[in-house]
Amino acid sequence: MWSTFFVTDMEGVAQGGAAQGAGGMASLMSGRSTFGGNKRRRTTSAGHSLSEAQEGKIKLAFFVAIVGIVLTVLGVGTEFWVELSAPKSFYNNQTCLTAHYGLWKGCTKTLWVADIDPERESCGPAELHGESNCTYFKFFTTGENAVMFQKTTQKNLNVAAAMLVMFSLFLMVMGAVCIIMALSKDILFFLKPASVCFILSGALVLLSLMVFHQSVLALLASDHTVPLHHELSWSVSCIGCAGGVLIVGGVLFLLLALPYSPWQRCLPQKDSSS
C-alpha cells in the first residue's frame, strides 16, 4: 500500500514538473518571438520600407535623372557648343573658314564656298565636309589662351564653366548612389539627399551654360578685325535639356520623400456619402 502511494505521488510530481517546464519553455519562446517581432517592426518603422508602388515610382524618377545624366555627358564630351563663321567671301571666292569649340577642344574647318547655301552669307554650317584641324585647349595645362580668327579667349571664364560642369557630374554620381542605396536597403531617407544632389547639379549645369555664353561674348569682343557670325550649336541644346531634366528628377525625388502625398493634401478626396 505504501509503495503504491509512493509511486502515485512520484508520478504526480513528475507530471507537474513536466507541465511547468513546458509552460516555461512556451512563455520563453513566446517572449523571444514577441521581442523579434517588435524588433522587426521597429526596423520597418525607422527605415520606411518601400512598397511595390513606391519602388516603381522611384525607378521611374531615376530613369528621368539618368536621361539628364546621359545628356550632360553627351554635351560635355563634344565640341559643338558654339560655331564661329566668317563671311564666306572674306578670304577668297573658293574657300571659307569656320570654327566650333566646346569646353576642352576647338576645331577649325575649311569649307568650299560652292557647297554652302547661296542664301547663307557666312561660312558654314560646320557639319559640311571639309578639311578640319582640332586641338585641345591649354587652359588646364600651361594656362595659355586660345586664338581663333585673331580673337583671344578668356581662360578664366572657360575654366569656370568647365569646373561647374565637373562638379555637377560629381553631384549626379552622388545622387545616383543615394538612389541605389534607397532601392537596395528599402530606406526612403536616401531620397532627400538624392533630390538635393540632382537639383543642384541641374542648376550648376545651367549656370555653366551661362558662364560659357559670357566667354563667347568676351571672345567676340576681344578683336574686331574679322567679322564673325556666332551661333550656339547642338551640344548646348543637350546641356540645356539636361539641366531642366535633372531639376525635374530632383523635384520628383523630393515629392516621393515626403511622408504624405501632396496630391491628397491639395485635392482631398470626398466621401462617397457626401
Side-chain angles (χ1 to χ4, degrees), residues 112 144 158 204:
W112 293 98
E144 298 179 12
N158 292 84
L204 289 177

Side-chain angles (χ1 to χ4, degrees), residues 2-18:
W2 285 101
S3 61
T4 304
F5 176 78
F6 179 75
V7 172
T8 305
D9 190 17
M10 290 299 294
E11 290 178 354
V13 171
Q15 292 176 359

Side-chain angles (χ1 to χ4, degrees), residues 54-97:
Q54 288 176 324
E55 185 176 353
K57 293 177 182 178
I58 293 174
K59 290 181 179 179
L60 181 60
F62 193 27
F63 175 76
V64 174
I66 289 176
V67 171
I69 295 174
V70 172
L71 289 175
T72 303
V73 173
L74 180 62
V76 171
T78 53
E79 61 274 3
F80 287 90
W81 283 55
V82 65
E83 294 183 12
L84 305 175
S85 302
K88 60 182 180 181
S89 59
F90 185 80
Y91 296 99
N92 53 64
N93 294 328
Q94 294 182 351
T95 60
C96 62
L97 193 62

Side-chain angles (χ1 to χ4, degrees), residues 214-265:
Q214 292 299 318
S215 69
V216 174
L217 296 180
L219 171 69
L220 296 175
S222 63
D223 186 83
H224 298 282
T225 304
V226 181
L228 291 180
H229 170 75
H230 78 282
E231 58 181 353
L232 301 178
S233 190
W234 59 267
S235 296
V236 169
S237 301
C238 291
I239 292 294
C241 294
V245 170
L246 288 170
I247 293 176
V248 171
V251 172
L252 291 177
F253 287 128
L254 183 61
L255 294 177
L256 292 174
L258 295 177
Y260 56 87
S261 176
W263 303 111
Q264 294 179 357
R265 286 293 184 91

